[in-house]
Amino acid sequence: MTPATIPPPRLRIAVIGPGGIGSTFAFQLSRAGHDVTVVARGARLECLRRDRAIVTTTGEHAAVHVAEVLDTTVSWDLVLVTVLVSETDVLLPRLADCAADAIMFMFNTFQPLDHLRDAVGAHRTVFGFPAVVASIRDGRLESDILRRGVASTVSEKRWATVFSDAGIPAAAHPDMQSWLRTHAAFIVPVLLAGLSAHRSGHGVDRREATVLAHALREGLGLVRRLGNTVTPGPIGVLGRLPVPMIATLLWMATRIPAFIRTSSVAPPDEPAVLIDEMISLAPQDIPALRAVRPR
């Protein structure tokens, strides 16, 4: 067997939180030949126990093991945590005790990441963000893995390779704190624009687009004031454009059906949660973001 045909090693991977994102990764990693265990609760747990697989809305199956709690004695190659950031603290004691080689936290947050590293060990802590739009509908996975000009982002090249080989394009970034904060500051006004267009059935007007443009610039300014780098570079360029130009881009985006569709599947409370995180860390008031915070 030539080196080019040697199959990748079979990894033992646990996925905590098999909602849309976690289920997408579990599905793809299982299909790629890895030994995948999903840790779930409630109705999702019962559904997975019944099927013993991630099942898609199109009827495809990917076999997985199912557990109610993470087995801390297993030498997992990776534990992938895809629950909401607000749900991680209760998991930290068990994650700290587990025998995993790597623990990846994958979520959207503006919060500092140091407490997660401190809790489970900096040497094995990995961070990521999924370029995936997914949901669970009646126990079945509906998923769209974004592939054009965007990739899931992780802090270690090894896992970018593993995910890419499993059909989830991924890239490594060395400063995930800056990347995540930039993404949060960027995505809040973008999501709010898309959600507004979805609710109203038409694009945002010029006034609303201008208000959201101010929020975008203010959020990226906060990233810089906190000592982080606005990254990737194109977002930094966008954030320095005049407000009317940013407003025009938002106005145009909300007239694209695919943009509205993608925004509509985001958690409806996500913009408010991210804004609250920004407010809690802001060294001075951020009125533009306060003004757009959903009530």
Side-chain angles (χ1 to χ4, degrees), residues 16-35:
I16 301 178
I21 300 300
S23 293
T24 299
F25 277 80
F27 181 90
Q28 294 294 136
L29 290 164
S30 173
R31 282 289 184 94
H34 299 298
D35 186 352

Side-chain angles (χ1 to χ4, degrees), residues 226-242:
L226 291 173
N228 297 115
T229 302
V230 174
T231 183
I235 294 183
V237 173
L238 172 66
R240 295 186 185 279
L241 292 176

Side-chain angles (χ1 to χ4, degrees), residues 50-260:
R50 182 185 66 243
D51 295 333
R52 290 182 293 178
I54 305 293
V55 184
T56 71
T57 54
T58 58
E60 296 178 281
H61 288 63
V64 295
H65 307 291
V66 183
E68 190 169 0
V69 295
L70 178 70
D71 188 339
T72 59
T73 66
V74 174
S75 297
W76 306 102
D77 292 289
L78 175 68
V79 174
L80 177 59
V81 182
T82 62
V83 301
L84 297 174
V85 64
S86 59
E87 299 173 352
T88 56
D89 283 350
V90 70
L91 298 173
L92 291 180
R94 197 165 192 88
L95 291 171
D97 290 340
C98 81
D101 288 339
I103 299 170
M104 181 183 294
F105 297 94
M106 181 173 278
F107 40 53
N108 198 9
T109 186
F110 199 83
Q111 292 181 4
L113 303 176
D114 288 344
H115 77 288
L116 299 173
R117 293 189 185 95
D118 293 342
V120 305
H123 64 286
R124 61 176 182 162
T125 306
V126 190
F127 296 100
F129 186 86
V132 173
V133 178
S135 61
I136 302 296
R137 300 183 184 277
D138 298 323
R140 300 295 182 256
L141 172 64
E142 186 171 78
S143 180
D144 181 16
I145 299 171
L146 305 183
R147 303 179 187 276
R148 293 185 179 180
V150 65
S152 294
T153 306
V154 297
S155 57
E156 288 189 7
K157 186 175 181 180
R158 176 194 181 190
W159 298 112
T161 300
V162 169
F163 294 158
S164 295
D165 289 346
I168 303 174
H173 194 288
D175 183 3
M176 282 302 291
Q177 181 74 85
S178 290
W179 194 98
L180 286 167
R181 283 184 170 170
T182 299
H183 181 269
F186 169 77
I187 205 64
V188 160
V190 170
L191 275 180
L192 289 172
L195 290 169
S196 176
H198 177 69
R199 287 191 301 267
S200 67
H202 56 77
V204 298
D205 59 28
R206 293 286 181 177
R207 183 200 64 80
E208 187 176 5
T210 299
V211 169
L212 292 170
H214 279 291
L216 190 150
R217 279 182 58 111
E218 186 175 77
L220 294 179
L222 175 60
V223 174
R224 296 186 184 96
R225 289 202 303 276
L226 291 173
N228 297 115
T229 302
V230 174
T231 183
I235 294 183
V237 173
L238 172 66
R240 295 186 185 279
L241 292 176
V243 165
M245 191 173 295
I246 299 173
T248 296
L249 293 173
L250 290 170
W251 183 90
M252 293 170 60
T254 60
R255 282 150 177 83
I256 301 173
F259 172 81
I260 299 173

